[in-house]
Short mmCIF file of all heavy atoms in Angstrom, two decimals:
data_model
loop_
_atom_site.label_atom_id
_atom_site.label_comp_id
_atom_site.label_asym_id
_atom_site.label_seq_id
_atom_site.Cartn_x
_atom_site.Cartn_y
_atom_site.Cartn_z
N GLN A 1 -33.46 7.59 -9.32
CA GLN A 1 -32.05 7.47 -9.68
C GLN A 1 -31.87 7.06 -11.13
O GLN A 1 -30.91 7.48 -11.78
CB GLN A 1 -31.37 6.45 -8.77
CG GLN A 1 -31.15 6.98 -7.35
CD GLN A 1 -30.47 5.95 -6.48
OE1 GLN A 1 -31.10 5.29 -5.64
NE2 GLN A 1 -29.18 5.80 -6.65
N ARG A 2 -32.76 6.25 -11.67
CA ARG A 2 -32.67 5.92 -13.08
C ARG A 2 -32.93 7.15 -13.96
O ARG A 2 -32.28 7.34 -14.99
CB ARG A 2 -33.69 4.81 -13.43
CG ARG A 2 -33.32 3.44 -12.90
CD ARG A 2 -34.20 2.37 -13.52
NE ARG A 2 -35.61 2.55 -13.27
CZ ARG A 2 -36.26 2.07 -12.22
NH1 ARG A 2 -35.59 1.38 -11.29
NH2 ARG A 2 -37.56 2.27 -12.06
N ARG A 3 -33.86 7.99 -13.53
CA ARG A 3 -34.16 9.20 -14.28
C ARG A 3 -33.02 10.23 -14.18
O ARG A 3 -32.80 10.99 -15.12
CB ARG A 3 -35.46 9.86 -13.76
CG ARG A 3 -36.70 9.01 -13.78
CD ARG A 3 -37.25 8.74 -15.14
NE ARG A 3 -37.36 9.92 -15.99
CZ ARG A 3 -37.72 9.89 -17.26
NH1 ARG A 3 -37.96 8.72 -17.86
NH2 ARG A 3 -37.80 10.98 -18.00
N PHE A 4 -32.32 10.23 -13.02
CA PHE A 4 -31.27 11.25 -12.79
C PHE A 4 -30.13 10.56 -12.03
O PHE A 4 -30.12 10.55 -10.81
CB PHE A 4 -31.86 12.41 -11.97
CG PHE A 4 -30.98 13.64 -11.97
CD1 PHE A 4 -31.06 14.56 -13.00
CD2 PHE A 4 -30.08 13.86 -10.93
CE1 PHE A 4 -30.26 15.70 -12.98
CE2 PHE A 4 -29.30 15.01 -10.90
CZ PHE A 4 -29.38 15.94 -11.95
N PRO A 5 -29.18 9.95 -12.71
CA PRO A 5 -28.12 9.15 -12.07
C PRO A 5 -27.29 9.92 -11.06
O PRO A 5 -26.69 9.31 -10.15
CB PRO A 5 -27.26 8.69 -13.26
CG PRO A 5 -28.19 8.69 -14.42
CD PRO A 5 -29.11 9.84 -14.21
N GLU A 6 -27.23 11.27 -11.16
CA GLU A 6 -26.42 12.05 -10.22
C GLU A 6 -27.19 12.41 -8.95
O GLU A 6 -26.73 13.23 -8.14
CB GLU A 6 -25.98 13.35 -10.89
CG GLU A 6 -25.13 13.16 -12.14
CD GLU A 6 -25.97 12.94 -13.40
OE1 GLU A 6 -27.22 13.10 -13.32
OE2 GLU A 6 -25.40 12.58 -14.44
N LEU A 7 -28.33 11.77 -8.73
CA LEU A 7 -29.19 12.13 -7.60
C LEU A 7 -28.47 12.15 -6.26
O LEU A 7 -28.58 13.10 -5.48
CB LEU A 7 -30.34 11.12 -7.53
CG LEU A 7 -31.35 11.30 -6.38
CD1 LEU A 7 -32.24 12.50 -6.65
CD2 LEU A 7 -32.18 10.04 -6.19
N LEU A 8 -27.66 11.11 -5.99
CA LEU A 8 -27.04 10.98 -4.69
C LEU A 8 -25.90 11.99 -4.49
O LEU A 8 -25.39 12.14 -3.38
CB LEU A 8 -26.50 9.56 -4.46
CG LEU A 8 -27.56 8.46 -4.51
CD1 LEU A 8 -26.92 7.11 -4.26
CD2 LEU A 8 -28.66 8.72 -3.50
N GLN A 9 -25.52 12.70 -5.53
CA GLN A 9 -24.47 13.70 -5.41
C GLN A 9 -25.01 15.09 -5.05
O GLN A 9 -24.26 16.01 -4.77
CB GLN A 9 -23.69 13.80 -6.74
CG GLN A 9 -23.03 12.49 -7.13
CD GLN A 9 -22.47 12.54 -8.55
OE1 GLN A 9 -22.17 13.60 -9.07
NE2 GLN A 9 -22.32 11.36 -9.17
N LEU A 10 -26.34 15.24 -5.06
CA LEU A 10 -26.95 16.54 -4.76
C LEU A 10 -27.12 16.73 -3.26
O LEU A 10 -27.21 15.75 -2.50
CB LEU A 10 -28.31 16.62 -5.44
CG LEU A 10 -28.35 16.48 -6.96
CD1 LEU A 10 -29.79 16.57 -7.46
CD2 LEU A 10 -27.49 17.55 -7.62
N PRO A 11 -27.17 17.98 -2.79
CA PRO A 11 -27.46 18.23 -1.36
C PRO A 11 -28.79 17.60 -0.98
O PRO A 11 -29.80 17.78 -1.68
CB PRO A 11 -27.51 19.76 -1.28
CG PRO A 11 -26.69 20.24 -2.42
CD PRO A 11 -26.90 19.24 -3.52
N PRO A 12 -28.85 16.84 0.11
CA PRO A 12 -30.07 16.11 0.46
C PRO A 12 -31.30 17.02 0.60
O PRO A 12 -32.39 16.65 0.15
CB PRO A 12 -29.71 15.45 1.79
CG PRO A 12 -28.24 15.24 1.72
CD PRO A 12 -27.72 16.45 0.99
N ALA A 13 -31.14 18.19 1.16
CA ALA A 13 -32.29 19.08 1.31
C ALA A 13 -32.81 19.56 -0.04
O ALA A 13 -34.02 19.75 -0.23
CB ALA A 13 -31.94 20.28 2.19
N ASP A 14 -31.92 19.73 -1.01
CA ASP A 14 -32.33 20.13 -2.36
C ASP A 14 -33.16 19.02 -3.02
O ASP A 14 -34.14 19.30 -3.73
CB ASP A 14 -31.13 20.47 -3.22
CG ASP A 14 -30.45 21.77 -2.80
OD1 ASP A 14 -30.92 22.41 -1.83
OD2 ASP A 14 -29.43 22.14 -3.42
N VAL A 15 -32.73 17.79 -2.80
CA VAL A 15 -33.49 16.66 -3.36
C VAL A 15 -34.89 16.61 -2.74
O VAL A 15 -35.90 16.44 -3.44
CB VAL A 15 -32.77 15.33 -3.13
CG1 VAL A 15 -33.62 14.15 -3.58
CG2 VAL A 15 -31.42 15.32 -3.86
N GLN A 16 -34.96 16.81 -1.42
CA GLN A 16 -36.27 16.78 -0.77
C GLN A 16 -37.16 17.92 -1.28
O GLN A 16 -38.36 17.71 -1.54
CB GLN A 16 -36.11 16.89 0.76
CG GLN A 16 -37.38 16.70 1.56
CD GLN A 16 -37.81 15.25 1.64
OE1 GLN A 16 -37.39 14.41 0.85
NE2 GLN A 16 -38.64 14.93 2.61
N ALA A 17 -36.61 19.09 -1.45
CA ALA A 17 -37.39 20.20 -1.99
C ALA A 17 -37.86 19.91 -3.41
O ALA A 17 -38.99 20.24 -3.78
CB ALA A 17 -36.55 21.47 -1.96
N THR A 18 -37.01 19.24 -4.17
CA THR A 18 -37.39 18.90 -5.55
C THR A 18 -38.47 17.82 -5.58
O THR A 18 -39.38 17.88 -6.41
CB THR A 18 -36.15 18.44 -6.34
OG1 THR A 18 -35.12 19.43 -6.23
CG2 THR A 18 -36.50 18.24 -7.81
N PHE A 19 -38.40 16.86 -4.67
CA PHE A 19 -39.44 15.83 -4.61
C PHE A 19 -40.79 16.49 -4.25
O PHE A 19 -41.84 16.12 -4.78
CB PHE A 19 -39.08 14.76 -3.59
CG PHE A 19 -38.04 13.78 -4.05
CD1 PHE A 19 -37.34 13.01 -3.11
CD2 PHE A 19 -37.75 13.61 -5.39
CE1 PHE A 19 -36.37 12.09 -3.53
CE2 PHE A 19 -36.78 12.71 -5.82
CZ PHE A 19 -36.09 11.94 -4.88
N ALA A 20 -40.77 17.44 -3.32
CA ALA A 20 -41.99 18.15 -2.96
C ALA A 20 -42.53 18.93 -4.18
O ALA A 20 -43.74 18.95 -4.43
CB ALA A 20 -41.75 19.11 -1.80
N GLU A 21 -41.61 19.57 -4.91
CA GLU A 21 -42.02 20.33 -6.08
C GLU A 21 -42.58 19.41 -7.16
O GLU A 21 -43.52 19.77 -7.89
CB GLU A 21 -40.85 21.12 -6.63
CG GLU A 21 -41.20 22.14 -7.70
CD GLU A 21 -41.96 23.34 -7.16
OE1 GLU A 21 -42.06 23.50 -5.91
OE2 GLU A 21 -42.46 24.13 -7.98
N LEU A 22 -42.02 18.19 -7.28
CA LEU A 22 -42.54 17.21 -8.23
C LEU A 22 -44.00 16.89 -7.93
O LEU A 22 -44.84 16.86 -8.82
CB LEU A 22 -41.70 15.95 -8.21
CG LEU A 22 -42.22 14.76 -9.02
CD1 LEU A 22 -42.15 15.07 -10.51
CD2 LEU A 22 -41.43 13.50 -8.69
N THR A 23 -44.29 16.66 -6.66
CA THR A 23 -45.67 16.39 -6.26
C THR A 23 -46.56 17.56 -6.58
O THR A 23 -47.64 17.41 -7.20
CB THR A 23 -45.73 16.06 -4.77
OG1 THR A 23 -45.04 14.85 -4.51
CG2 THR A 23 -47.17 15.93 -4.29
N ALA A 24 -46.14 18.77 -6.17
CA ALA A 24 -46.96 19.95 -6.40
C ALA A 24 -47.18 20.22 -7.88
O ALA A 24 -48.29 20.51 -8.33
CB ALA A 24 -46.33 21.17 -5.71
N ALA A 25 -46.10 20.09 -8.67
CA ALA A 25 -46.19 20.40 -10.09
C ALA A 25 -47.06 19.38 -10.84
O ALA A 25 -47.82 19.76 -11.72
CB ALA A 25 -44.79 20.44 -10.69
N SER A 26 -46.93 18.11 -10.49
CA SER A 26 -47.72 17.07 -11.19
C SER A 26 -49.21 17.20 -10.82
O SER A 26 -50.09 17.01 -11.67
CB SER A 26 -47.19 15.68 -10.90
OG SER A 26 -47.09 15.42 -9.52
#
């Protein structure tokens, strides 16, 4: 949330997909 203050305004499934992509990409 500090990195992206609008986090809670995004569709929850999109956030989950992005968290998975963060793991895969890193």
Side-chain angles (χ1 to χ4, degrees):
Q1 287 180 258
R2 288 192 300 271
R3 302 288 313 173
F4 195 85
E6 300 84 9
L7 179 74
L8 300 181
Q9 300 171 24
L10 300 179
D14 290 359
V15 174
Q16 188 76 341
T18 307
F19 285 161
E21 191 71 9
L22 173 67
T23 294
S26 54

